Amino acid sequence: MSAHDRVPNELWLEIFKLLPRDALKAVYSTARQFTTPSRALLFTHLRRSSEWVNDPSANDVNHCLPTAANVHRGPPVAASDSSSGGYITLFYPYDCDVPLALRDHLGLTGSDGVQSALDRLAFWSSDEIAPFVRECTVAPPRQGYAEPLPILMTSFMDALGKFTGLQKLSAHLSKLTQAGVAHLCRIPLLTEIVIEGCGIIPADTTIDTTNLELRTEKLVYRNGALFYDDRNLCLTIVHHGHLRELEVTDNGTGAASNTLAHGDAFPNVYKLTIAMNFSTMTQNLLILSKFPAVCELQLSGWEFQVKYESSEEPTVNVSDVLPLLREYRGPCTPLHLFLSKSTLARLVIDACPLEDFIFQFGGTYGHITALDATVYDLNQGALSTICSCLPALIDLRIKVLNQIEFEEDDFRDSNSVATDFFSTLANTLGLPSTLQRLAISWDFIGFDSLDDYDEGPVAWPEAIPDFVTIRDTLKERCPPLRTLWFDWQDFMFKWRQLLDRDEMEQKNEIEAAEIEDLRAKFEDFWEGRLGVSNSIS
């Protein structure tokens, strides 16, 4: 027995994870022993779309179309997706409204093109490859709307049961069949399903849901007037007790809203994202009452009704919904419904007028420890009011939007407002003594950069606040403080207190692209997507 024969496949798998895609393909063809561990990395993600067309890394789109000759000889050459950690092939089931040049590249001009796509599906659904697929995406092309070819869509749905190791399915503007839905309900490892505007084929039929139960931990369901109608299929057959995360968008039709409001409860959903337009206050509360275990709530929509109409008779008390709510994300208008809940600890508020945000507060809420809000304009008095209503804040981040015109004098006035605010920030009344992280960003809406002016970059070094002194004063008032982030157009100051050192940096007259990059890194840090030791510079 050779040395490599004595090495278990599990060890080879860990080694192969370190290889780039081209090297992994070479390993796949090197020795029979390497076939199984390399397959587990090469064939994790089956993607059916044309998103790769605009990808510069896909130099030859014809390479993405394996012919019948190479289906059984080895893996087809395809564009890679480093984010998935796996190997992607692209199965294109769309024909209508595709540019002629793209049709020629894809080989969809006749029966040969369809056969080529079916050959690819046969390769991916073969006994040797299908068990390694972990994620599958079905999506339309980026360039406009296209109808999936029924023969390809039906063939894919028929083959779905072969992917026994599938963990995530994403279907966008696609078609479901009776066989496909039945296969989904039987896949044992399926934990996440994304259904966006899907329909049913044949169009004049319905899916028989008898004995069908979709056991998944996460369901993202988006439907509405602009999408196909799948009769709220997934909401109807999903196992309510198995589900942990639910995202529902119902724009215009109201069908999903009615299904949720008049259906059974979801006892174990802890994260709920919901967009319901034109629902009544009674229906909104009735929907929320179906999720007694929700800890994280995100609301969106054109208008979330927060008042009863004169003809409405309340059936659910506000105090009875969401008894375990810890985090709220969304518009400020429904905020007053949840502020009094003692479990609520974090608020993330969408952009809104400052006065509308403050209007929601009707008392003191000592249980709220984190606030992340985007408001139009900000002043010291408003900040003092917010802090007095939320006296136990640990994390405070405010993004200020300031509308100005394309005039230099207007910018000078707005810049003065920002610099004056930061200069007097340390003297703000009511700053919580518990504060550990403070971030304030000031955006001037109306232009991209000071470099746009004919006179070139404009800077007022004398107007830049003394941030070191501001930091020291804030530290005296808020002893636990360990993070500061201040930025406005072309200026930035950051400070972090680590276990063994302080990190501090100040930049003036930064390019717009650089400040956006710094903000993106800070966003990751603030949301906990970077470790303590990671630099945000």
Side-chain angles (χ1 to χ4, degrees), residues 373-393:
T374 301
V375 297
Y376 294 101
D377 297 324
L378 183 64
N379 55 65
Q380 299 293 341
L383 181 59
S384 295
T385 300
I386 293 171
C387 291
S388 62
C389 293
L390 308 175
L393 284 177

Side-chain angles (χ1 to χ4, degrees), residues 339 344-348 357 361 364-373 382-398 430-439 477-481 526:
L339 278 174
L344 185 62
R346 188 180 189 216
L347 305 176
V348 182
F357 177 55
F361 296 102
T364 301
Y365 309 96
H367 50 278
I368 296 176
T369 58
L371 171 64
D372 186 337
L383 181 59
S384 295
T385 300
I386 293 171
C387 291
S388 62
C389 293
L390 308 175
L393 284 177
I394 294 175
D395 289 353
L396 173 58
R397 180 166 69 162
I398 298 180
L431 281 177
S433 60
T434 53
L435 204 59
Q436 297 182 17
R437 302 198 301 171
L438 174 62
R477 296 187 58 188
C478 311
L481 193 66
W526 190 269

Side-chain angles (χ1 to χ4, degrees), residues 124-143:
W124 279 89
S125 59
S126 64
D127 294 340
E128 294 81 8
I129 302 300
F132 296 104
V133 175
R134 296 294 178 265
E135 183 175 344
C136 181
T137 301
V138 183
R142 287 178 177 176
Q143 300 176 346

Side-chain angles (χ1 to χ4, degrees), residues 108-389:
L108 287 174
T109 55
S111 59
D112 290 343
V114 173
Q115 186 58 51
S116 177
L118 292 174
D119 287 343
R120 171 179 293 144
L121 179 60
F123 171 82
W124 279 89
S125 59
S126 64
D127 294 340
E128 294 81 8
I129 302 300
F132 296 104
V133 175
R134 296 294 178 265
E135 183 175 344
C136 181
T137 301
V138 183
R142 287 178 177 176
Q143 300 176 346
Y145 169 81
E147 182 82 10
L149 293 175
I151 184 175
L152 298 183
M153 205 67 244
T154 302
S155 299
F156 172 75
M157 286 292 164
D158 289 344
L160 198 53
K162 300 288 189 68
F163 304 112
T164 54
L166 191 66
Q167 298 173 1
K168 178 181 178 180
L169 172 69
S170 300
H172 307 271
L173 297 179
S174 249
K175 298 287 189 178
L176 305 175
T177 67
Q178 178 76 50
V181 174
H183 288 320
L184 276 180
C185 293
R186 289 194 290 265
I187 296 177
L189 302 179
L190 194 62
T191 58
E192 181 175 351
I193 300 176
V194 179
I195 300 292
E196 182 172 16
C198 290
I200 295 173
I201 49 176
D204 57 349
T205 63
T206 59
I207 301 292
D208 181 5
T209 59
T210 305
N211 298 324
L212 291 183
E213 201 169 56
L214 191 59
R215 291 180 172 267
T216 181
E217 294 182 3
K218 180 177 181 179
L219 173 62
V220 178
Y221 178 81
R222 305 186 183 110
N223 213 343
L226 300 179
F227 298 149
Y228 290 127
D229 176 20
D230 68 355
R231 288 76 158 175
N232 294 305
L233 178 64
C234 289
L235 289 179
T236 303
I237 66 174
V238 68
H239 189 282
H240 288 209
H242 204 76
L243 200 63
R244 298 295 183 271
E245 298 182 49
L246 176 63
E247 177 183 335
V248 179
T249 299
D250 186 11
N251 293 328
T253 66
S257 304
N258 290 328
T259 299
L260 292 177
H262 302 291
D264 295 333
F266 293 80
N268 298 316
V269 170
Y270 74 90
K271 185 174 183 178
L272 176 63
T273 301
I274 192 165
M276 298 296 184
N277 298 322
F278 307 121
S279 295
T280 64
M281 177 65 165
T282 298
Q283 188 165 23
N284 285 335
L285 291 180
L286 190 58
I287 291 171
L288 295 180
S289 70
K290 304 294 182 177
F291 299 91
V294 162
C295 299
E296 301 175 25
L297 172 67
Q298 180 170 348
L299 296 180
S300 62
W302 296 325
E303 184 177 1
F304 188 90
Q305 295 294 333
V306 295
K307 294 182 179 180
Y308 290 109
E309 300 292 339
S310 57
S311 59
E312 287 187 78
E313 295 185 4
T315 57
V316 178
N317 293 324
V318 174
S319 58
D320 294 335
V321 302
L322 307 180
L324 304 179
L325 185 64
R326 292 200 309 261
E327 178 179 306
Y328 168 77
R329 293 174 177 262
C332 70
T333 46
L335 188 55
H336 67 278
L337 300 176
F338 313 117
L339 278 174
S340 60
K341 295 186 178 297
S342 60
T343 56
L344 185 62
R346 188 180 189 216
L347 305 176
V348 182
I349 306 301
D350 297 339
C352 63
L354 179 62
E355 57 272 17
D356 290 354
F357 177 55
I358 294 179
F359 180 76
Q360 304 302 318
F361 296 102
T364 301
Y365 309 96
H367 50 278
I368 296 176
T369 58
L371 171 64
D372 186 337
T374 301
V375 297
Y376 294 101
D377 297 324
L378 183 64
N379 55 65
Q380 299 293 341
L383 181 59
S384 295
T385 300
I386 293 171
C387 291
S388 62
C389 293

